[in-house]
Amino acid sequence: MATKDYYNILGVNKEASFDAIKKAYRSLAKKYHPDKNPNDKFAEERFKDIQEAYSILSDSNKRANYDRMVEAEKQGYFFDDMDSFFSGFNTHRENAQVKFDDFGGFGDLFSRIFDKTDRSRSKTRPKRGADINYELAIPFEKAILGWETVISITRDEECPTCQGSGARLGTNVQKCPDCGGRGKIKFTQGNFSVNQTCPKCYGRGIIIPVPCTTCNGVGHFQQVRRIPINIPPGIENGMRIRVPGQGESGVSGGPNGDLYIIAKVMEHKFLKRQGDDITCEITIDFIQAIMGVTVVVSTVDGKVRLNVPAGTQPGTILRLKGKGIKKANGDGNGDQLIKVNVSLPKNITEKQKELLKKFREE
Ligand SMILES: [Zn+2]
Ligand SMILES: [Zn+2]
């Protein structure tokens, strides 16, 4: 039991009167006083314990609460079954909190009983595994057309051999004897009391006498998993896809977390997205614009030939039907829109100048 036995420290029984406690304290304090025992570590510790014990047992309020706490510990209320502790205490809980609040140094012991974070750490309480967020870089074309791919994730999984207990098959996990399963130990230095993580069980509240050989007693480990992912056509940058149950393992029978794929759509050097359409630009020279030309244009599913008709004006937008994004309402696909730029020569020769003059006169 982690809580100090103050009666034992003062060598009195639990029914001892105030006078008997005072008497015991005086004689022990004299015996172990540091002035009488210089450089004696043991005496120093004893002296501190004696003072602490007296400070609690000489105050009727503190003594009553201490007694109650020890009683609760004896009945296992602190450790294994928080819920029954609560149901047993519920009717008195309001009173109890008021009383414990003005209890100074002992308040923390009681607040710990009511502390929700400690309850959630209880080994027997099923806990859902954490979600995993995975940023997936998606090539532009795949984002438009849809993509079946496989990703590798590293996630925390429950050990299948011991099913998370950490104990070798046929053996059991035991409550930590040092901290009584609480994971914390109360240390007292002078008038100060602090809760420290139990050094025996590292705060887990349990010890594993014979560790599972698969997980070395940890109960879970990091696993690399390959997970097939189906990217729907038309996914946009930043969209999230939920893959249920593929996150971290749940604890104590709790459900697994989910895997979230966050789409990072890569840019295309030529194509851009605009709603359900895809846009791009081409540049032809002025003679091609005047006389018409056939050019090769990239689309999300390969290159196609595009006729630029004679007399196309700069800035004209040509349309490739159905080469855009599959519409969400199932109403076919968007288009690819091609903006036609026309380049004009900056320098021309004398001969070209003559020809252009003739062209104008024509
Ligand atoms: Zn294991
Ligand atoms: Zn412990």
Side-chain angles (χ1 to χ4, degrees), residues 65-197:
N65 278 307
Y66 170 74
D67 288 345
R68 217 170 306 174
M69 191 194 66
V70 170
E71 203 47 47
E73 275 199 344
K74 259 192 209 158
Q75 291 170 36
Y77 279 129
F78 282 100
F79 321 130
D80 296 324
D81 198 349
M82 288 295 189
D83 283 329
S84 68
F85 179 79
F86 272 88
S87 56
F89 256 64
N90 262 344
T91 47
H92 309 293
R93 197 174 160 186
E94 297 301 320
N95 284 338
Q97 277 185 329
V98 174
K99 268 189 190 160
F100 300 158
D101 275 349
D102 47 26
F103 203 136
F106 262 97
D108 64 331
L109 283 172
F110 288 96
S111 65
R112 198 169 56 204
I113 304 169
F114 298 111
D115 186 347
K116 284 195 165 67
T117 57
D118 262 26
R119 289 183 70 206
S120 67
R121 220 185 289 145
S122 160
K123 266 284 160 191
T124 51
R125 192 165 282 263
K127 201 170 155 249
R128 187 179 175 278
D131 292 335
I132 296 175
N133 289 320
Y134 184 97
E135 275 194 5
L136 178 64
I138 306 172
F140 184 86
E141 293 92 334
K142 307 284 190 194
I144 304 301
L145 298 171
W147 193 25
E148 279 178 29
T149 186
V150 176
I151 63 163
S152 270
I153 57 164
T154 305
R155 69 182 176 199
D156 201 45
E157 289 190 6
E158 193 175 81
C159 171
T161 310
C162 61
Q163 287 173 337
S165 76
R168 190 177 295 179
L169 276 182
T171 72
N172 283 318
V173 166
Q174 287 173 10
K175 188 162 78 185
C176 173
D178 285 21
C179 63
R182 277 170 298 165
K184 281 181 181 172
I185 283 188
K186 189 179 165 78
F187 285 95
T188 303
Q189 290 170 323
N191 293 323
F192 295 98
S193 298
V194 279
N195 283 315
Q196 291 188 357
T197 302

Side-chain angles (χ1 to χ4, degrees), residues 81-336:
D81 198 349
M82 288 295 189
D83 283 329
S84 68
F85 179 79
F86 272 88
S87 56
F89 256 64
N90 262 344
T91 47
H92 309 293
R93 197 174 160 186
E94 297 301 320
N95 284 338
Q97 277 185 329
V98 174
K99 268 189 190 160
F100 300 158
D101 275 349
D102 47 26
F103 203 136
F106 262 97
D108 64 331
L109 283 172
F110 288 96
S111 65
R112 198 169 56 204
I113 304 169
F114 298 111
D115 186 347
K116 284 195 165 67
T117 57
D118 262 26
R119 289 183 70 206
S120 67
R121 220 185 289 145
S122 160
K123 266 284 160 191
T124 51
R125 192 165 282 263
K127 201 170 155 249
R128 187 179 175 278
D131 292 335
I132 296 175
N133 289 320
Y134 184 97
E135 275 194 5
L136 178 64
I138 306 172
F140 184 86
E141 293 92 334
K142 307 284 190 194
I144 304 301
L145 298 171
W147 193 25
E148 279 178 29
T149 186
V150 176
I151 63 163
S152 270
I153 57 164
T154 305
R155 69 182 176 199
D156 201 45
E157 289 190 6
E158 193 175 81
C159 171
T161 310
C162 61
Q163 287 173 337
S165 76
R168 190 177 295 179
L169 276 182
T171 72
N172 283 318
V173 166
Q174 287 173 10
K175 188 162 78 185
C176 173
D178 285 21
C179 63
R182 277 170 298 165
K184 281 181 181 172
I185 283 188
K186 189 179 165 78
F187 285 95
T188 303
Q189 290 170 323
N191 293 323
F192 295 98
S193 298
V194 279
N195 283 315
Q196 291 188 357
T197 302
C198 171
K200 187 173 181 74
C201 65
Y202 306 105
R204 292 176 78 191
I206 51 158
I207 54 164
I208 298 161
V210 192
C212 166
T213 45
T214 311
C215 62
N216 293 322
V218 180
H220 51 93
F221 41 75
Q222 299 278 299
Q223 276 277 28
V224 178
R225 291 284 176 200
R226 287 169 61 76
I227 309 215
I229 302 293
N230 212 343
I231 300 295
I235 195 165
E236 288 187 69
N237 197 34
M239 275 184 175
R240 298 206 311 168
I241 298 170
R242 178 168 163 264
V243 190
Q246 295 285 12
E248 316 264 19
S249 277
V251 175
S252 304
N256 291 351
D258 296 331
L259 169 66
Y260 285 95
I261 304 295
I262 301 154
K264 290 280 153 206
V265 178
M266 293 155 80
E267 286 195 9
H268 193 281
K269 61 179 191 295
F270 183 61
L271 305 173
K272 286 198 164 47
R273 180 170 181 171
Q274 194 177 80
D276 290 331
D277 295 328
I278 289 169
T279 63
C280 66
E281 295 186 14
I282 57 168
T283 301
I284 54 177
D285 65 38
F286 75 103
I287 296 169
Q288 290 170 325
I290 291 163
M291 302 184 64
V293 65
T294 299
V295 294
V296 173
V297 175
S298 292
T299 74
V300 286
D301 57 355
K303 293 184 188 306
V304 297
R305 294 167 74 82
L306 173 71
N307 274 322
V308 182
T312 293
Q313 301 299 308
T316 298
I317 289 171
L318 301 174
R319 190 174 288 260
L320 284 167
K321 275 269 172 209
K323 291 287 182 192
I325 291 112
K326 195 175 196 172
K327 290 183 180 170
N329 60 12
D331 191 18
N333 281 28
D335 302 328
Q336 181 163 338

